[in-house]
Amino acid sequence: SGERGEGSGAPSKVNLGPGSFAAMSSMGHNKTPLLRKLEQFYRRYKPSKIQHAKLLAKKYEGKEAELDALLLSTYNADLKSVSELFGPPRLTPQQQTKPK
């Protein structure tokens, strides 16, 4: 007797296909500044490669100059190009309130 659902045998509505990483990565949980920049970069220059942002952020953490050189040679743009476009990250209301 289908206590867990309707028992129709229909597939779950959770989609873990190729596009799901972009949806999950846009949630903003536990993102490093480098990962945020890489996601912005790929959204602008090569959206089909955004799924690589997390791996690249881990691989090049602390080696941003090396990553910038690679991006510059491949896309003729580096991480500074997206920082200039999007500006600094917005502060949350909690971050804006400074204790006195």
Side-chain angles (χ1 to χ4, degrees):
S1 78
E3 288 182 26
R4 290 188 178 191
E6 304 198 28
S8 66
S12 168
K13 291 189 180 191
V14 175
N15 177 6
L16 296 178
S20 64
F21 179 83
M24 290 187 299
S25 70
S26 67
M27 291 180 191
H29 300 293
N30 301 321
K31 288 187 182 182
T32 65
L34 180 57
L35 177 55
R36 283 190 206 101
K37 286 180 188 178
L38 276 167
E39 287 177 343
Q40 290 173 349
F41 182 91
Y42 280 113
R43 273 189 204 101
R44 174 158 174 92
Y45 295 103
K46 193 73 170 177
S48 64
K49 299 271 185 171
I50 196 167
Q51 73 272 15
H52 299 289
K54 191 172 186 178
L55 177 67
L56 288 172
K58 284 183 181 183
K59 182 176 180 178
Y60 288 97
E61 190 69 44
K63 299 185 273 186
E64 286 86 351
E66 187 179 336
L67 177 59
D68 269 344
L70 177 66
L71 294 172
L72 199 55
S73 69
T74 305
Y75 299 102
N76 201 30
D78 60 13
L79 293 175
K80 292 178 200 82
S81 65
V82 292
S83 297
E84 292 166 1
L85 290 172
F86 294 98
R90 293 183 181 163
L91 297 177
T92 65
Q94 293 83 6
Q95 291 170 321
Q96 292 174 0
T97 307
K98 294 181 181 177
K100 293 182 180 181

Short mmCIF file of all heavy atoms in Angstrom, two decimals, residues 5-62:
data_model
loop_
_atom_site.label_atom_id
_atom_site.label_comp_id
_atom_site.label_asym_id
_atom_site.label_seq_id
_atom_site.Cartn_x
_atom_site.Cartn_y
_atom_site.Cartn_z
N GLY A 5 4.07 7.45 -0.99
CA GLY A 5 3.64 8.30 -2.09
C GLY A 5 2.38 7.73 -2.67
O GLY A 5 1.66 6.99 -2.03
N GLU A 6 2.15 8.04 -3.90
CA GLU A 6 0.93 7.60 -4.51
C GLU A 6 1.05 6.21 -5.12
O GLU A 6 0.08 5.66 -5.57
CB GLU A 6 0.50 8.62 -5.56
CG GLU A 6 0.38 10.00 -4.92
CD GLU A 6 -0.43 10.94 -5.76
OE1 GLU A 6 -1.30 10.50 -6.50
OE2 GLU A 6 -0.16 12.13 -5.65
N GLY A 7 2.23 5.67 -5.14
CA GLY A 7 2.42 4.32 -5.64
C GLY A 7 2.22 4.18 -7.14
O GLY A 7 2.01 3.10 -7.64
N SER A 8 2.29 5.27 -7.86
CA SER A 8 2.05 5.22 -9.30
C SER A 8 3.27 4.73 -10.07
O SER A 8 3.18 4.44 -11.24
CB SER A 8 1.67 6.61 -9.82
OG SER A 8 2.76 7.49 -9.68
N GLY A 9 4.41 4.67 -9.39
CA GLY A 9 5.63 4.26 -10.07
C GLY A 9 6.22 5.37 -10.92
O GLY A 9 7.17 5.17 -11.64
N ALA A 10 5.65 6.56 -10.84
CA ALA A 10 6.16 7.70 -11.60
C ALA A 10 7.52 8.11 -11.06
O ALA A 10 7.77 8.02 -9.86
CB ALA A 10 5.19 8.88 -11.51
N PRO A 11 8.42 8.55 -11.91
CA PRO A 11 9.74 8.97 -11.44
C PRO A 11 9.65 10.20 -10.54
O PRO A 11 8.71 10.99 -10.67
CB PRO A 11 10.50 9.29 -12.73
CG PRO A 11 9.48 9.44 -13.79
CD PRO A 11 8.28 8.67 -13.34
N SER A 12 10.60 10.32 -9.67
CA SER A 12 10.66 11.46 -8.77
C SER A 12 10.84 12.73 -9.60
O SER A 12 11.40 12.70 -10.69
CB SER A 12 11.85 11.28 -7.83
OG SER A 12 12.11 12.46 -7.14
N LYS A 13 10.41 13.87 -9.05
CA LYS A 13 10.56 15.12 -9.77
C LYS A 13 11.93 15.75 -9.55
O LYS A 13 12.20 16.81 -10.05
CB LYS A 13 9.46 16.09 -9.34
CG LYS A 13 8.11 15.64 -9.81
CD LYS A 13 7.06 16.68 -9.57
CE LYS A 13 5.74 16.17 -10.07
NZ LYS A 13 4.73 17.16 -10.13
N VAL A 14 12.79 15.10 -8.78
CA VAL A 14 14.14 15.61 -8.57
C VAL A 14 14.96 15.33 -9.81
O VAL A 14 15.08 14.19 -10.23
CB VAL A 14 14.80 14.95 -7.33
CG1 VAL A 14 16.23 15.40 -7.19
CG2 VAL A 14 14.00 15.26 -6.09
N ASN A 15 15.49 16.38 -10.40
CA ASN A 15 16.29 16.24 -11.62
C ASN A 15 17.76 16.40 -11.27
O ASN A 15 18.19 17.45 -10.86
CB ASN A 15 15.87 17.30 -12.64
CG ASN A 15 16.71 17.24 -13.91
OD1 ASN A 15 17.54 16.34 -14.08
ND2 ASN A 15 16.52 18.19 -14.79
N LEU A 16 18.52 15.35 -11.43
CA LEU A 16 19.96 15.43 -11.19
C LEU A 16 20.74 15.35 -12.49
O LEU A 16 21.84 14.84 -12.54
CB LEU A 16 20.39 14.31 -10.23
CG LEU A 16 19.79 14.41 -8.84
CD1 LEU A 16 20.24 13.25 -7.98
CD2 LEU A 16 20.15 15.72 -8.17
N GLY A 17 20.15 15.85 -13.55
CA GLY A 17 20.79 15.84 -14.85
C GLY A 17 21.84 16.92 -14.97
O GLY A 17 22.16 17.61 -14.02
N PRO A 18 22.38 17.11 -16.17
CA PRO A 18 23.49 18.04 -16.39
C PRO A 18 23.20 19.48 -15.97
O PRO A 18 24.08 20.16 -15.50
CB PRO A 18 23.73 17.98 -17.91
CG PRO A 18 23.09 16.73 -18.35
CD PRO A 18 22.01 16.41 -17.37
N GLY A 19 21.98 19.94 -16.09
CA GLY A 19 21.66 21.32 -15.74
C GLY A 19 21.48 21.53 -14.25
O GLY A 19 21.39 22.65 -13.78
N SER A 20 21.43 20.46 -13.48
CA SER A 20 21.14 20.60 -12.06
C SER A 20 22.28 21.24 -11.29
O SER A 20 22.06 21.90 -10.30
CB SER A 20 20.78 19.26 -11.44
OG SER A 20 21.87 18.38 -11.49
N PHE A 21 23.54 21.08 -11.74
CA PHE A 21 24.66 21.68 -11.02
C PHE A 21 24.54 23.20 -11.02
O PHE A 21 24.74 23.83 -10.01
CB PHE A 21 26.00 21.27 -11.63
CG PHE A 21 27.15 21.91 -10.90
CD1 PHE A 21 27.64 21.35 -9.74
CD2 PHE A 21 27.71 23.09 -11.36
CE1 PHE A 21 28.68 21.95 -9.06
CE2 PHE A 21 28.74 23.69 -10.68
CZ PHE A 21 29.23 23.11 -9.53
N ALA A 22 24.18 23.75 -12.17
CA ALA A 22 24.05 25.21 -12.25
C ALA A 22 22.97 25.69 -11.30
O ALA A 22 23.13 26.69 -10.63
CB ALA A 22 23.74 25.65 -13.67
N ALA A 23 21.87 24.95 -11.21
CA ALA A 23 20.80 25.33 -10.29
C ALA A 23 21.28 25.23 -8.85
O ALA A 23 21.03 26.12 -8.05
CB ALA A 23 19.58 24.43 -10.50
N MET A 24 21.98 24.16 -8.51
CA MET A 24 22.48 24.01 -7.15
C MET A 24 23.55 25.05 -6.84
O MET A 24 23.58 25.60 -5.76
CB MET A 24 23.05 22.60 -6.94
CG MET A 24 22.00 21.53 -6.92
SD MET A 24 22.64 19.91 -6.48
CE MET A 24 23.82 19.58 -7.75
N SER A 25 24.41 25.34 -7.79
CA SER A 25 25.49 26.27 -7.53
C SER A 25 24.97 27.69 -7.38
O SER A 25 25.62 28.52 -6.76
CB SER A 25 26.54 26.22 -8.64
OG SER A 25 26.04 26.76 -9.82
N SER A 26 23.80 27.97 -7.90
CA SER A 26 23.26 29.32 -7.77
C SER A 26 22.65 29.56 -6.40
O SER A 26 22.24 30.65 -6.09
CB SER A 26 22.22 29.58 -8.86
OG SER A 26 21.09 28.77 -8.66
N MET A 27 22.59 28.52 -5.55
CA MET A 27 22.02 28.68 -4.22
C MET A 27 22.90 29.55 -3.33
O MET A 27 22.42 30.15 -2.40
CB MET A 27 21.81 27.32 -3.56
CG MET A 27 20.74 26.51 -4.20
SD MET A 27 20.64 24.95 -3.32
CE MET A 27 19.57 24.05 -4.41
N GLY A 28 24.22 29.57 -3.56
CA GLY A 28 25.10 30.45 -2.83
C GLY A 28 25.62 29.91 -1.52
O GLY A 28 26.21 30.63 -0.75
N HIS A 29 25.43 28.64 -1.23
CA HIS A 29 25.89 28.08 0.03
C HIS A 29 27.36 27.72 -0.06
O HIS A 29 27.80 27.05 -0.99
CB HIS A 29 25.09 26.83 0.39
CG HIS A 29 23.63 27.10 0.55
ND1 HIS A 29 23.14 27.87 1.57
CD2 HIS A 29 22.56 26.72 -0.18
CE1 HIS A 29 21.83 27.95 1.46
NE2 HIS A 29 21.46 27.27 0.39
N ASN A 30 28.15 28.15 0.93
CA ASN A 30 29.55 27.77 1.06
C ASN A 30 30.39 28.09 -0.16
O ASN A 30 31.28 27.33 -0.52
CB ASN A 30 29.67 26.27 1.40
CG ASN A 30 28.95 25.92 2.67
OD1 ASN A 30 28.98 26.68 3.63
ND2 ASN A 30 28.28 24.79 2.67
N LYS A 31 30.14 29.19 -0.80
CA LYS A 31 30.93 29.56 -1.98
C LYS A 31 32.10 30.42 -1.56
O LYS A 31 31.96 31.34 -0.79
CB LYS A 31 30.08 30.33 -2.98
CG LYS A 31 29.08 29.48 -3.68
CD LYS A 31 28.40 30.28 -4.76
CE LYS A 31 27.35 29.46 -5.45
NZ LYS A 31 26.72 30.22 -6.53
N THR A 32 33.26 30.11 -2.13
CA THR A 32 34.43 30.95 -1.91
C THR A 32 34.35 32.13 -2.88
O THR A 32 33.65 32.06 -3.89
CB THR A 32 35.72 30.15 -2.19
OG1 THR A 32 35.75 29.80 -3.58
CG2 THR A 32 35.80 28.90 -1.32
N PRO A 33 35.09 33.20 -2.58
CA PRO A 33 35.10 34.32 -3.54
C PRO A 33 35.56 33.89 -4.93
O PRO A 33 35.03 34.36 -5.93
CB PRO A 33 36.08 35.31 -2.90
CG PRO A 33 36.01 35.02 -1.44
CD PRO A 33 35.80 33.52 -1.35
N LEU A 34 36.54 32.97 -4.99
CA LEU A 34 37.02 32.51 -6.29
C LEU A 34 35.93 31.76 -7.03
O LEU A 34 35.74 31.96 -8.24
CB LEU A 34 38.26 31.63 -6.12
CG LEU A 34 38.87 31.08 -7.41
CD1 LEU A 34 39.24 32.21 -8.38
CD2 LEU A 34 40.09 30.23 -7.10
N LEU A 35 35.18 30.92 -6.35
CA LEU A 35 34.09 30.20 -7.00
C LEU A 35 33.04 31.16 -7.52
O LEU A 35 32.56 31.02 -8.64
CB LEU A 35 33.46 29.18 -6.04
CG LEU A 35 32.27 28.40 -6.58
CD1 LEU A 35 32.60 27.68 -7.88
CD2 LEU A 35 31.77 27.41 -5.54
N ARG A 36 32.69 32.17 -6.75
CA ARG A 36 31.71 33.17 -7.22
C ARG A 36 32.21 33.86 -8.49
O ARG A 36 31.46 34.04 -9.45
CB ARG A 36 31.45 34.21 -6.13
CG ARG A 36 30.56 33.71 -5.04
CD ARG A 36 30.13 34.87 -4.13
NE ARG A 36 29.83 34.34 -2.83
CZ ARG A 36 30.63 34.40 -1.77
NH1 ARG A 36 31.78 35.03 -1.84
NH2 ARG A 36 30.28 33.87 -0.62
N LYS A 37 33.48 34.24 -8.49
CA LYS A 37 34.04 34.91 -9.68
C LYS A 37 34.04 33.98 -10.88
O LYS A 37 33.70 34.40 -11.99
CB LYS A 37 35.47 35.38 -9.40
CG LYS A 37 35.57 36.58 -8.51
CD LYS A 37 37.02 36.94 -8.32
CE LYS A 37 37.21 38.01 -7.28
NZ LYS A 37 38.63 38.32 -7.07
N LEU A 38 34.42 32.72 -10.67
CA LEU A 38 34.44 31.77 -11.79
C LEU A 38 33.04 31.55 -12.34
O LEU A 38 32.85 31.46 -13.56
CB LEU A 38 35.04 30.44 -11.35
CG LEU A 38 36.56 30.38 -11.40
CD1 LEU A 38 37.07 29.16 -10.65
CD2 LEU A 38 37.04 30.36 -12.84
N GLU A 39 32.05 31.45 -11.47
CA GLU A 39 30.68 31.28 -11.96
C GLU A 39 30.23 32.50 -12.76
O GLU A 39 29.60 32.37 -13.81
CB GLU A 39 29.73 31.01 -10.79
CG GLU A 39 29.92 29.61 -10.23
CD GLU A 39 29.04 29.33 -9.03
OE1 GLU A 39 28.51 30.29 -8.42
OE2 GLU A 39 28.89 28.15 -8.69
N GLN A 40 30.56 33.68 -12.27
CA GLN A 40 30.23 34.90 -13.02
C GLN A 40 30.94 34.89 -14.37
O GLN A 40 30.36 35.25 -15.40
CB GLN A 40 30.63 36.15 -12.23
CG GLN A 40 29.78 36.38 -11.00
CD GLN A 40 30.33 37.53 -10.15
OE1 GLN A 40 31.44 38.01 -10.35
NE2 GLN A 40 29.54 37.93 -9.17
N PHE A 41 32.22 34.50 -14.35
CA PHE A 41 33.00 34.46 -15.57
C PHE A 41 32.35 33.53 -16.59
O PHE A 41 32.13 33.91 -17.74
CB PHE A 41 34.43 33.99 -15.27
CG PHE A 41 35.33 33.97 -16.47
CD1 PHE A 41 36.08 35.08 -16.80
CD2 PHE A 41 35.40 32.85 -17.29
CE1 PHE A 41 36.90 35.07 -17.93
CE2 PHE A 41 36.22 32.83 -18.41
CZ PHE A 41 36.97 33.96 -18.73
N TYR A 42 32.04 32.32 -16.18
CA TYR A 42 31.46 31.36 -17.13
C TYR A 42 30.05 31.74 -17.55
O TYR A 42 29.66 31.49 -18.69
CB TYR A 42 31.51 29.94 -16.55
CG TYR A 42 32.87 29.31 -16.70
CD1 TYR A 42 33.66 29.03 -15.61
CD2 TYR A 42 33.38 29.03 -17.96
CE1 TYR A 42 34.91 28.48 -15.75
CE2 TYR A 42 34.64 28.48 -18.13
CZ TYR A 42 35.40 28.20 -17.02
OH TYR A 42 36.65 27.66 -17.18
N ARG A 43 29.28 32.37 -16.68
CA ARG A 43 27.96 32.86 -17.10
C ARG A 43 28.10 33.84 -18.25
O ARG A 43 27.30 33.86 -19.17
CB ARG A 43 27.23 33.53 -15.94
CG ARG A 43 26.46 32.59 -15.10
CD ARG A 43 25.57 33.31 -14.08
NE ARG A 43 25.32 32.42 -12.99
CZ ARG A 43 25.95 32.46 -11.81
NH1 ARG A 43 26.82 33.41 -11.55
NH2 ARG A 43 25.69 31.59 -10.88
N ARG A 44 29.14 34.66 -18.19
CA ARG A 44 29.32 35.68 -19.23
C ARG A 44 30.01 35.13 -20.48
O ARG A 44 29.57 35.41 -21.59
CB ARG A 44 30.15 36.84 -18.68
CG ARG A 44 30.49 37.86 -19.74
CD ARG A 44 30.80 39.19 -19.16
NE ARG A 44 31.25 40.11 -20.17
CZ ARG A 44 30.48 40.93 -20.85
NH1 ARG A 44 29.20 40.95 -20.61
NH2 ARG A 44 30.97 41.74 -21.76
N TYR A 45 31.07 34.36 -20.30
CA TYR A 45 31.90 33.99 -21.45
C TYR A 45 31.64 32.59 -22.01
O TYR A 45 31.89 32.37 -23.19
CB TYR A 45 33.38 34.13 -21.10
CG TYR A 45 33.77 35.56 -20.84
CD1 TYR A 45 33.95 36.02 -19.55
CD2 TYR A 45 33.92 36.47 -21.89
CE1 TYR A 45 34.30 37.36 -19.30
CE2 TYR A 45 34.26 37.79 -21.66
CZ TYR A 45 34.44 38.22 -20.37
OH TYR A 45 34.76 39.53 -20.14
N LYS A 46 31.18 31.66 -21.19
CA LYS A 46 30.99 30.29 -21.69
C LYS A 46 30.02 29.55 -20.77
O LYS A 46 30.42 28.67 -20.01
CB LYS A 46 32.35 29.58 -21.76
CG LYS A 46 32.35 28.29 -22.53
CD LYS A 46 32.24 28.52 -24.00
CE LYS A 46 32.51 27.21 -24.74
NZ LYS A 46 32.36 27.35 -26.16
N PRO A 47 28.73 29.87 -20.83
CA PRO A 47 27.75 29.25 -19.92
C PRO A 47 27.76 27.72 -19.96
O PRO A 47 27.50 27.09 -18.93
CB PRO A 47 26.41 29.81 -20.41
CG PRO A 47 26.75 31.09 -21.09
CD PRO A 47 28.12 30.87 -21.71
N SER A 48 28.10 27.14 -21.07
CA SER A 48 28.10 25.67 -21.15
C SER A 48 29.19 25.04 -20.29
O SER A 48 29.17 23.83 -20.06
CB SER A 48 28.27 25.23 -22.61
OG SER A 48 29.54 25.62 -23.10
N LYS A 49 30.13 25.82 -19.80
CA LYS A 49 31.24 25.30 -18.98
C LYS A 49 31.09 25.63 -17.50
O LYS A 49 32.00 25.35 -16.71
CB LYS A 49 32.57 25.88 -19.48
CG LYS A 49 32.90 25.54 -20.90
CD LYS A 49 33.66 24.26 -20.98
CE LYS A 49 34.09 24.01 -22.42
NZ LYS A 49 34.99 22.91 -22.54
N ILE A 50 29.97 26.21 -17.08
CA ILE A 50 29.83 26.64 -15.69
C ILE A 50 29.98 25.48 -14.71
O ILE A 50 30.43 25.67 -13.58
CB ILE A 50 28.50 27.40 -15.46
CG1 ILE A 50 28.56 28.17 -14.14
CG2 ILE A 50 27.32 26.46 -15.52
CD1 ILE A 50 27.46 29.17 -13.97
N GLN A 51 29.69 24.26 -15.15
CA GLN A 51 29.81 23.11 -14.25
C GLN A 51 31.27 22.87 -13.85
O GLN A 51 31.52 22.16 -12.88
CB GLN A 51 29.19 21.85 -14.86
CG GLN A 51 29.99 21.24 -15.99
CD GLN A 51 29.66 21.80 -17.37
OE1 GLN A 51 29.02 22.84 -17.50
NE2 GLN A 51 30.11 21.12 -18.41
N HIS A 52 32.23 23.46 -14.54
CA HIS A 52 33.65 23.30 -14.21
C HIS A 52 34.13 24.28 -13.14
O HIS A 52 35.23 24.14 -12.64
CB HIS A 52 34.52 23.48 -15.46
CG HIS A 52 34.23 22.50 -16.55
ND1 HIS A 52 34.56 21.17 -16.45
CD2 HIS A 52 33.63 22.65 -17.74
CE1 HIS A 52 34.17 20.54 -17.55
NE2 HIS A 52 33.60 21.42 -18.35
N ALA A 53 33.31 25.26 -12.81
CA ALA A 53 33.74 26.33 -11.90
C ALA A 53 34.18 25.79 -10.54
O ALA A 53 35.23 26.21 -10.02
CB ALA A 53 32.63 27.36 -11.73
N LYS A 54 33.43 24.87 -9.97
CA LYS A 54 33.76 24.37 -8.62
C LYS A 54 35.10 23.64 -8.62
O LYS A 54 35.93 23.86 -7.74
CB LYS A 54 32.64 23.46 -8.13
CG LYS A 54 32.75 23.12 -6.68
CD LYS A 54 31.50 22.38 -6.21
CE LYS A 54 31.52 22.15 -4.72
NZ LYS A 54 30.31 21.50 -4.25
N LEU A 55 35.33 22.80 -9.61
CA LEU A 55 36.58 22.06 -9.71
C LEU A 55 37.76 23.02 -9.90
O LEU A 55 38.80 22.89 -9.25
CB LEU A 55 36.52 21.06 -10.87
CG LEU A 55 37.79 20.27 -11.14
CD1 LEU A 55 38.09 19.32 -10.00
CD2 LEU A 55 37.65 19.49 -12.44
N LEU A 56 37.59 24.00 -10.78
CA LEU A 56 38.66 24.96 -11.03
C LEU A 56 38.94 25.82 -9.80
O LEU A 56 40.09 26.14 -9.51
CB LEU A 56 38.32 25.85 -12.22
CG LEU A 56 38.39 25.16 -13.58
CD1 LEU A 56 37.85 26.07 -14.67
CD2 LEU A 56 39.81 24.74 -13.91
N ALA A 57 37.90 26.19 -9.06
CA ALA A 57 38.09 26.99 -7.85
C ALA A 57 38.94 26.22 -6.83
O ALA A 57 39.83 26.80 -6.20
CB ALA A 57 36.75 27.37 -7.25
N LYS A 58 38.69 24.92 -6.71
CA LYS A 58 39.50 24.11 -5.78
C LYS A 58 40.93 23.98 -6.29
O LYS A 58 41.89 24.12 -5.55
CB LYS A 58 38.88 22.72 -5.62
CG LYS A 58 37.67 22.69 -4.75
CD LYS A 58 37.18 21.27 -4.57
CE LYS A 58 35.94 21.24 -3.70
NZ LYS A 58 35.49 19.87 -3.47
N LYS A 59 41.06 23.71 -7.57
CA LYS A 59 42.38 23.47 -8.17
C LYS A 59 43.27 24.72 -8.11
O LYS A 59 44.48 24.61 -7.89
CB LYS A 59 42.22 23.01 -9.62
CG LYS A 59 43.52 22.69 -10.31
CD LYS A 59 43.29 22.14 -11.70
CE LYS A 59 44.61 21.83 -12.38
NZ LYS A 59 44.42 21.26 -13.72
N TYR A 60 42.69 25.89 -8.32
CA TYR A 60 43.47 27.12 -8.42
C TYR A 60 43.36 28.03 -7.20
O TYR A 60 43.80 29.18 -7.25
CB TYR A 60 43.09 27.89 -9.69
CG TYR A 60 43.60 27.21 -10.93
CD1 TYR A 60 42.78 26.37 -11.68
CD2 TYR A 60 44.91 27.38 -11.36
CE1 TYR A 60 43.24 25.73 -12.82
CE2 TYR A 60 45.39 26.76 -12.49
CZ TYR A 60 44.55 25.93 -13.22
OH TYR A 60 45.03 25.29 -14.34
N GLU A 61 42.81 27.54 -6.08
CA GLU A 61 42.76 28.34 -4.85
C GLU A 61 44.18 28.71 -4.46
O GLU A 61 45.05 27.85 -4.33
CB GLU A 61 42.09 27.55 -3.73
CG GLU A 61 41.78 28.39 -2.51
CD GLU A 61 40.68 29.41 -2.74
OE1 GLU A 61 39.66 29.05 -3.34
OE2 GLU A 61 40.85 30.56 -2.32
N GLY A 62 44.43 30.01 -4.31
CA GLY A 62 45.78 30.48 -3.99
C GLY A 62 46.67 30.64 -5.21
O GLY A 62 47.81 31.09 -5.09
#
